[in-house]
């Protein structure tokens, strides 16, 4: 839980903070219809990302290696397993796929993108949000052991059991373009970098203020956009 000082600083500097979940949901909703079959890649338990897409689409199918996906209330159907092999989905059967902070956990992202190419219909998008490889949080995470990530999760009021190992193999424009070169038929058509309030630093007023300075700097200069916290993008399967 944040201290009164952090709460006051957050209200002063971020009275209307960017909500990245809302940005992701808006993009998904713009891509679906009531008859759509939607795939949630790395759906998890649904505790961190709550949405009502199942009321706006025909079907919302979730897949995750963690068995907690069975408790996800956002889904109409779930499958336990890796998103690099989804035999329960027919070729060209998905109208829209999406993932929220999943790409950083993929050990073999090329295999996942190839499977997405198989299951997406021609013209269908895969919409994602994921950390930027060059944000300070990602850099620190790549250099520290898993127990440090678990400690950070508890400091932010999160559950360590849902803090999974990261690889950052699909978390820069260069990495994504390399992956897609190995997945003919998929194209990166949108990539936006976003830096909001320094949520990872809410346990220390001093660090929070340093995070505010960082946020103002990377948002103030477009050439520094790769150092913003998150990338939100859209990959589309060609005809």
């Amino acid at each position: 839980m944040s201290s009164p000082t952090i709460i006051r600083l957050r209200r002063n500097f971020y009275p209307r903070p960017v909500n990245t979940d809302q940005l992701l949901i808006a993009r998904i909703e713009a891509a679906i219809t009531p008859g759509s079959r939607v795939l949630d890649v790395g759906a998890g338990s649904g505790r961190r990302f709550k949405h009502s897409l199942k009321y706006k689409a025909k079907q919302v199918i979730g897949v995750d290696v963690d068995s907690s996906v069975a408790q996800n209330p956002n889904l109409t159907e779930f499958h336990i397993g890796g998103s690099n092999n989804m035999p329960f989905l027919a070729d060209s059967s998905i109208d829209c796929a999406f993932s929220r902070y999943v790409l950083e956990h993929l050990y073999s992202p090329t295999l996942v993108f190839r499977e997405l190419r198989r299951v997406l219909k021609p013209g269908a998008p895969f919409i994602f949000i994921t950390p930027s490889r060059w944000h300070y949080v990602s850099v620190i995470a790549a250099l520290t052991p898993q127990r440090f990530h678990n400690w950070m999760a508890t400091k932010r009021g999160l559950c360590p059991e849902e803090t999974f190992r990261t690889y950052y193999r699909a978390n820069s424009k260069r990495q994504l373009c390399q992956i897609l070169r190995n997945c003919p038929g998929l194209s990166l058509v949108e990539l936006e970098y976003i830096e909001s309030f320094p949520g990872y630093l809410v346990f220390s007023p001093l660090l929070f203020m340093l995070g505010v300075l960082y946020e103002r700097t990377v948002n103030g200069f477009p050439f520094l956009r790769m150092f913003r916290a998150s990338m939100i993008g859209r990959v589309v399967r060609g005809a």
Side-chain angles (χ1 to χ4, degrees), residues 10-189:
R10 180 172 175 175
R11 287 174 178 170
N12 288 340
F13 286 100
Y14 302 98
R16 292 181 295 276
V18 174
N19 187 315
T20 54
D21 284 349
Q22 289 180 359
L23 294 177
L24 178 63
I25 290 172
R27 283 167 168 78
I28 299 167
E29 290 181 345
I32 65 175
T33 69
S36 294
R37 298 185 77 219
V38 180
L39 175 64
D40 186 344
V41 178
S45 66
R47 285 194 290 267
R48 294 192 189 183
F49 184 44
K50 299 178 181 180
H51 57 76
S52 58
L53 295 171
K54 68 180 181 181
Y55 302 111
K56 300 176 182 180
K58 179 180 180 180
Q59 201 172 11
V60 179
I61 305 162
V63 59
D64 200 295
V65 295
D66 195 286
S67 60
S68 66
V69 69
Q71 298 148 16
N72 191 320
N74 305 320
L75 308 174
T76 59
E77 177 182 330
F78 72 88
H79 296 271
I80 301 172
S83 49
N84 61 331
N85 182 29
M86 297 181 282
F88 49 87
L89 294 177
D91 294 359
S92 303
S93 61
I94 295 297
D95 297 285
C96 176
F98 71 91
S99 69
R100 176 190 180 272
Y101 296 110
V102 171
L103 297 188
E104 66 273 21
H105 300 291
L106 300 180
Y107 183 79
S108 301
T110 299
L111 298 180
V112 174
F113 276 88
R114 286 176 178 168
E115 185 71 345
L116 286 170
R117 178 187 59 189
R118 181 185 71 81
V119 303
L120 287 171
K121 293 180 179 179
F126 168 55
I127 301 167
F128 63 87
I129 188 166
T130 192
S132 169
R133 177 69 181 84
W134 306 114
H135 188 256
Y136 62 85
V137 172
S138 301
V139 172
I140 293 171
L143 297 174
T144 51
Q146 185 63 34
R147 61 180 178 274
F148 176 79
H149 303 180
N150 295 341
W151 175 79
M152 282 294 297
T154 58
K155 296 294 286 185
R156 297 171 60 217
L158 301 176
C159 177
E161 287 73 23
E162 290 193 17
T163 304
F164 304 105
R165 185 173 179 179
T166 50
Y167 297 97
Y168 297 104
R169 294 176 177 175
N171 294 85
S172 70
K173 185 176 182 179
R174 181 178 180 180
Q175 289 175 323
L176 286 169
C177 289
Q178 178 61 49
I179 290 167
L180 296 181
R181 279 194 289 271
N182 294 317
C183 302
L186 293 180
S187 301
L188 181 66
V189 299

